[in-house]
Amino acid sequence: MQIGFETIREILEHRLHQEDIERLLQGLDESGKAQLFFRITELLRRTSALADIANRVSDSLSLDVLFPRLMEVVTEALNAERSSLFLFDAETSELFSRVMQGDTIGEIRFPSNLGVAGSIFTSGQAEIIADAYADPRFNQEVDRRTGYRTRNILCVPIRNKNREVIGVTQVLNKCVGEFDGEDQRLLEGLSLQASAALENARLFEKVERQQREEAMLLEVSISIVSEIHLDPLLAKIMEAATSLLEADRGSLFLFDSASDELFSRVAGGIAGESIHFPSNAGIAGECFSSGQVINIADAYNDSRFNPEFDRHTGYHTHSMLCMPIVARGERKLGVMQILNRRGGEFGSADERRLRAFSAQAAVAIENAQLFESISDERNYNEAILYSMNNAVLTLDANGVVRKLNGAARRILRRSDGDLLGHPLNTRFVGRNTWVASSLDKVRASGSTDITVDTDLVLEGSEAISVNLTTVPLTSIRNEPIGYMLMMEDITREKRLRNTMSRYMSKSVVDQLVESGEAVLGGTGRDVSVLFSDIRGFTSISERLGAKETVALLNEYFTDMVDIVFAHNGVLDKYIGDMIMAVFGSVLQSDDDASNAVMVGNRMMTGLHQLNRRRAKRGGEAIRIGVGISTGNVVAGNIGSLKRMEYTVIGDRVNLAERLESANKFYGTSILMCDATYAAVKQHSACREIDLIRVRGRAMPVAIYESLEHLAEDGIPHLNDGLAAFNDGLIRYRARDWSGAERAFQKMLDVSPEDGPSKIYIERCRIYRETPPPENWDGVWAMDDK
């Protein structure tokens, strides 16, 4: 005889009479009586569970408290190992639960149609799953990750009083036996009992969150309204936005209409950097251009996302919410980009909050931009006045000085107290009355007056040269409001022109003056340096005597320096009979190396003409050598406070001097380094001479001879000889001593006085008898200066 729960319920509720109960018991054997006792105990336990759940949910409106309490009751009431409770979030279409994660409550979320819980929520029908691993909806990965083994599942929907499904309760692994229909009815009863408390708690959380948001929006609005400086304002806006959305970081991009770009004034994770990109580029650009919100759950699965930024910063972007910032009149100011919401993706509630916040931010940004624009314009005008090198004095309509800039104080050597508030004609007297006279002319005519290159006497009788421009000032209604005087101090310019004309051509002086004195400051420059020296000058000067030696040098220097100036060179210095010229030290050009080589060849031509003039007077001929080096040097005013000179120093200067001296060894006239050769090889006749290591330089340098000046000598078959010389050089470096000697001999057949060929023939004969070591690199060491 089987006794159901309904019969037991009637017994407990005293709906059966005593005789009925006795008759019922007489019909039961011992097994039936045990079953009756078990059923009564089970029903009492379930009734207790319902009462327990009612007690536990009655005193709390916090989901963080309710979730663990309810799961504890459910697990105990159904005699199971564990349980889960999920509520539906309509804003995100997700099921969520609150669980303990360490010492804090954490939240887990998943789509409301996913897995067993999602299926029960969607269908609204309870299910008992006897074998979890046999059900395709069950996610076995959770068990593998946690080490837990799920055997059976009881899952029921949670319905409110309107019978709407608001969530799911899920119980795992019944401790004894399998879940049955009675377990299902008990769980449904427990879930129904808890639904009202859960809904109340959710409503309470929602209201509480809205109150926090409203309070935060109010607080932020007050703080940003009070901030009129743009950069601090933007920082406050982004700090508030990330806090409001519980996000990790964010960036704010403003629109620059002039360049049609978005640029960052505040970008999370980037210190001291600014980002600029086209206003239609990337996710931010699309948000700005379309004016639509862009909500991305997984940035790396979105083709519009550029992961290069993450690789550059080491950051990892998961979720992203982009919101256009729109001011009055639908004028788009920029874009807010919020990254990585803590606890999951950005939802519609986040969009709503950020939209409301961005409207407040737009007003504050627009006001701050207006203030910045006005401030910038004022600062710009002030900066123009105070950064001018020319003295500026502004006067009111009565001719009283009202304002002056720093240049005026410096040029006039007057303080504000000496000038401000005083009529101009009382400050410029004596030999300086011409300044007041210029003001009188403008008063009378109403037009500008210009006075050029006039002396202005300062205190102590020192005079400076100035150009004065006096102009009338008028209002926007064209009414006279005052006058402005601008004084340009040209004293240094005049002095500079007079001084520099002794060292360079007038055209270079003009360019130097136009460029300003900054070019004379110490700086690294790529230049070409030329040294020329008279051969055997000591012996010549002994034979000529002092008077004739000076005459010779003056004539020689005059011809050579004219050639230097004609090709935009700068005469750096005379060193005895040596000339040092630099190309590019003052004003650089792409032709500096070519000009240096051309000057070297023209010097040889000019020397022939000089020697012909000397021969007519009975004087002996002189010879010179030229060395040219190209590279980086330090150029600037160098010396002491008492005496300075504008010159160049560096390794390339020393190399040019060594090359000039090397002409004596090789019997050549013009030698240049490899850097010079590289700059002129396309348009200047040259030949490689050797690979040498000069004194003071560890690295070897290839040297070349310029051959342009040999055209006047009219050497027959010169090109054939040069081809043979180049062949000899190749054989020499390949250690083919006999072949190299024959090639160099061919060059001597063409030009019997060719010094390099003689040197190489001598080397070949020595190396044939005593070969150099195996690691020989073909470099020749020049020990002499």
Side-chain angles (χ1 to χ4, degrees):
M1 178 178 179
Q2 298 292 323
I3 299 177
F5 272 109
E6 287 301 321
T7 302
I8 296 171
R9 214 176 260 114
E10 289 178 357
I11 294 174
L12 295 176
E13 293 175 0
H14 305 290
R15 285 187 285 156
L16 289 180
H17 297 291
Q18 182 68 29
E19 57 271 17
D20 294 329
I21 296 173
E22 290 177 356
R23 188 170 52 254
L24 180 65
L25 291 174
Q26 289 174 357
L28 295 175
D29 55 16
E30 291 303 319
S31 174
K33 291 178 180 179
Q35 183 187 26
L36 175 61
F37 178 75
F38 173 78
R39 295 274 179 126
I40 291 173
T41 303
E42 187 73 9
L43 188 57
L44 289 173
R45 182 177 62 81
R46 296 182 182 185
T47 304
S48 174
L50 289 170
D52 190 22
I53 205 167
N55 291 331
R56 295 207 184 193
V57 301
S58 62
D59 63 344
S60 177
L61 287 175
S62 170
L63 289 178
D64 291 346
V65 174
L66 288 178
F67 269 97
R69 282 185 181 180
L70 292 173
M71 286 186 281
E72 181 183 351
V73 171
V74 167
T75 303
E76 181 181 343
L78 274 82
N79 193 25
E81 292 181 2
R82 59 178 62 177
S83 63
S84 304
L85 192 153
F86 301 97
L87 290 182
F88 178 61
D89 186 344
E91 292 181 350
T92 62
S93 295
E94 292 176 322
L95 292 173
F96 73 93
S97 182
R98 305 275 174 84
V99 296
M100 289 298 297
Q101 295 178 345
D103 296 331
T104 59
I105 293 289
E107 187 171 275
I108 58 173
R109 286 176 172 265
F110 56 89
S112 61
N113 61 349
L114 187 66
V116 174
S119 175
I120 301 306
F121 173 79
T122 303
S123 67
Q125 299 297 318
E127 286 192 38
I128 297 173
I129 301 173
D131 184 354
Y133 279 73
D135 194 303
R137 298 169 297 179
F138 177 68
N139 182 7
Q140 301 179 23
E141 181 60 31
V142 177
D143 276 10
R144 282 192 289 271
R145 193 166 58 247
T146 62
Y148 187 72
R149 173 74 182 187
T150 303
R151 299 189 311 275
N152 46 37
I153 301 173
L154 169 59
C155 192
V156 303
I158 303 173
R159 297 181 183 273
N160 61 15
K161 62 182 179 180
N162 297 324
R163 305 298 297 166
E164 297 169 336
V165 179
I166 64 169
V168 172
T169 307
Q170 183 174 268
V171 188
L172 308 180
N173 292 0
K174 189 171 178 65
C175 294
V176 178
E178 303 290 337
F179 292 111
D180 56 21
E182 291 298 330
D183 293 321
Q184 177 179 323
R185 284 189 289 275
L186 174 60
L187 185 57
E188 287 173 340
L190 294 173
S191 299
L192 180 61
Q193 185 77 20
S195 64
L198 291 171
E199 280 199 314
N200 290 338
R202 286 216 63 193
L203 179 61
F204 178 77
E205 263 196 8
K206 184 176 181 180
V207 172
E208 194 177 48
R209 185 176 64 248
Q210 288 175 343
Q211 288 175 341
R212 286 199 308 269
E213 291 173 6
E214 290 171 1
M216 180 176 287
L217 280 173
L218 179 61
E219 180 183 351
V220 169
S221 298
I222 293 172
S223 67
I224 63 179
V225 166
S226 63
E227 182 60 71
I228 58 174
H229 297 287
L230 189 56
D231 284 336
L233 169 66
L234 299 179
K236 285 184 177 181
I237 288 173
M238 290 316 302
E239 181 181 358
T242 52
S243 176
L244 183 67
L245 271 65
E246 298 179 349
D248 187 31
R249 62 172 59 170
S251 301
L252 196 152
F253 302 98
L254 295 179
F255 177 58
D256 183 357
S257 58
S259 60
D260 194 24
E261 289 182 327
L262 290 173
F263 67 96
S264 68
R265 296 279 287 255
V266 176
I270 307 177
E273 294 185 26
S274 181
I275 304 173
H276 290 255
F277 54 90
S279 64
N280 60 352
I283 297 172
E286 181 178 331
C287 175
F288 177 80
S289 301
S290 66
Q292 300 298 315
V293 178
I294 297 179
N295 190 341
I296 299 174
D298 186 349
Y300 279 79
N301 283 332
D302 194 298
S303 60
R304 298 168 294 181
F305 177 70
N306 180 11
E308 186 59 35
F309 177 80
D310 277 10
R311 284 193 289 270
H312 175 68
T313 60
Y315 188 70
H316 188 86
T317 303
H318 299 288
S319 55
M320 179 186 298
L321 180 59
C322 266
M323 180 72 64
I325 304 172
V326 183
R328 293 184 296 267
E330 297 301 311
R331 187 171 72 91
K332 290 182 283 188
L333 302 179
V335 172
M336 253 192 280
Q337 186 171 270
I338 313 299
L339 307 179
N340 292 1
R341 187 183 188 277
R342 302 187 193 98
E345 304 164 2
F346 293 103
S348 57
D350 297 312
E351 294 180 17
R352 185 182 65 254
R353 286 192 289 268
L354 189 58
R355 184 179 290 107
F357 177 66
S358 68
Q360 295 287 334
V363 176
I365 291 173
E366 195 171 32
N367 291 338
Q369 284 181 329
L370 178 61
F371 176 80
E372 187 177 74
S373 176
I374 295 172
S375 180
D376 285 347
E377 185 173 349
R378 178 185 175 187
N379 291 339
Y380 177 73
N381 292 333
E382 291 289 332
I384 290 176
L385 178 63
Y386 284 97
S387 65
M388 290 178 64
N389 289 325
N390 296 340
V392 178
L393 296 88
T394 57
L395 289 64
D396 61 19
N398 297 320
V400 176
V401 180
R402 293 303 179 190
K403 200 165 193 177
L404 66 155
N405 65 353
R409 301 183 191 95
R410 173 176 51 81
I411 293 173
L412 300 176
R413 300 178 192 174
R414 298 281 191 92
S415 66
D416 289 354
D418 292 335
L419 295 172
L420 293 178
H422 298 281
L424 186 74
N425 57 10
T426 65
R427 301 292 96 183
F428 293 87
V429 296
R431 291 169 57 186
N432 295 332
T433 53
W434 61 271
V435 176
S437 298
S438 176
L439 175 61
D440 292 338
K441 292 178 184 177
V442 174
R443 276 176 169 167
S445 65
S447 57
T448 300
D449 179 65
I450 299 174
T451 308
V452 298
D453 196 3
T454 305
D455 287 344
L456 183 70
V457 180
L458 307 177
E459 291 185 7
S461 300
E462 179 186 351
I464 60 172
S465 296
V466 298
N467 293 334
L468 172 66
T469 303
T470 306
V471 298
L473 298 177
T474 57
S475 67
I476 58 175
R477 294 186 295 273
N478 204 31
E479 299 170 345
I481 57 175
Y483 309 91
M484 181 170 66
L485 279 68
M486 292 180 289
M487 293 183 183
E488 178 187 10
D489 184 359
I490 61 172
T491 308
R492 294 178 65 83
E493 178 184 332
K494 290 175 66 175
R495 187 182 303 123
L496 181 65
R497 285 181 181 275
N498 292 335
T499 302
M500 298 306 290
S501 62
R502 292 181 289 170
Y503 299 96
M504 60 194 75
S505 65
K506 182 179 182 301
S507 61
V508 175
V509 172
D510 291 340
Q511 293 180 60
L512 173 61
V513 172
E514 290 175 6
S515 300
E517 294 183 47
V519 298
L520 299 180
T523 182
R525 290 176 177 272
D526 288 327
V527 303
S528 291
V529 182
L530 179 148
F531 275 87
S532 70
D533 183 60
I534 299 176
R535 294 287 175 261
F537 179 73
T538 302
S539 299
I540 293 174
S541 62
E542 290 175 353
R543 291 194 296 271
L544 292 179
K547 185 176 180 179
E548 288 298 322
T549 298
V550 171
L552 168 63
L553 286 176
N554 287 340
E555 185 178 14
Y556 165 72
F557 286 150
T558 299
D559 289 354
M560 298 300 113
V561 171
D562 284 347
I563 294 172
V564 171
F565 285 178
H567 296 87
N568 293 328
V570 174
L571 175 62
D572 191 276
K573 61 175 67 71
Y574 299 117
I575 309 173
D577 59 310
M578 181 181 287
I579 295 174
M580 175 181 170
V582 186
F583 300 80
S585 63
V586 177
L587 297 167
Q588 292 179 289
S589 78
D590 294 336
D591 299 324
D592 289 333
S594 297
N595 285 337
V597 173
M598 188 178 297
V599 166
N601 284 282
R602 294 288 172 84
M603 280 182 164
M604 294 301 166
T605 303
L607 183 65
H608 292 325
Q609 297 171 356
L610 174 62
N611 283 333
R612 284 195 289 269
R613 294 199 305 270
R614 287 180 55 78
K616 290 180 181 179
R617 300 195 299 266
E620 64 178 297
I622 60 175
R623 295 181 300 108
I624 66 172
V626 174
I628 304 171
S629 173
T630 299
N632 194 264
V633 300
V634 175
N637 279 316
I638 298 174
S640 69
L641 293 176
K642 293 184 178 180
R643 187 179 187 279
M644 303 187 75
E645 64 177 7
Y646 185 79
T647 186
V648 295
I649 57 174
D651 173 68
R652 289 291 162 171
V653 178
N654 300 331
L655 179 59
E657 187 177 6
R658 301 288 189 273
L659 294 180
E660 184 282 318
S661 180
N663 283 300
K664 303 172 188 176
F665 177 78
Y666 288 101
T668 52
S669 297
I670 306 174
L671 288 178
M672 68 183 79
C673 70
D674 47 4
T676 307
Y677 171 73
V680 304
K681 63 182 179 181
Q682 299 299 328
H683 54 267
S684 182
C686 304
R687 66 165 167 170
E688 184 177 1
I689 294 298
D690 205 348
L691 189 62
I692 66 172
R693 184 178 289 107
V694 300
R695 184 176 177 182
R697 276 179 62 94
M699 295 297 295
V701 59
I703 61 173
Y704 299 81
E705 181 186 14
S706 179
L707 304 172
E708 293 288 332
H709 64 281
L710 295 180
E712 289 193 2
D713 296 339
I715 301 175
H717 310 295
L718 178 61
N719 289 336
D720 294 336
L722 292 174
F725 181 86
N726 290 334
D727 179 55
L729 202 56
I730 294 171
R731 293 177 182 275
Y732 169 78
R733 290 172 178 165
R735 306 170 75 101
D736 179 7
W737 315 120
S738 298
E741 183 179 351
R742 288 192 297 272
F744 290 129
Q745 186 59 52
K746 289 180 182 179
M747 178 62 190
L748 284 179
D749 293 341
V750 172
S751 179
E753 299 303 321
D754 185 55
S757 294
K758 292 179 181 180
I759 289 174
Y760 275 113
I761 288 174
E762 181 181 354
R763 290 184 192 174
C764 288
R765 290 171 180 172
I766 294 172
Y767 285 151
R768 189 163 49 239
E769 296 298 326
T770 309
E774 289 300 322
N775 62 352
W776 177 71
D777 56 5
V779 176
W780 188 265
M782 298 288 294
D783 295 327
D784 297 335
K785 277 193 173 185

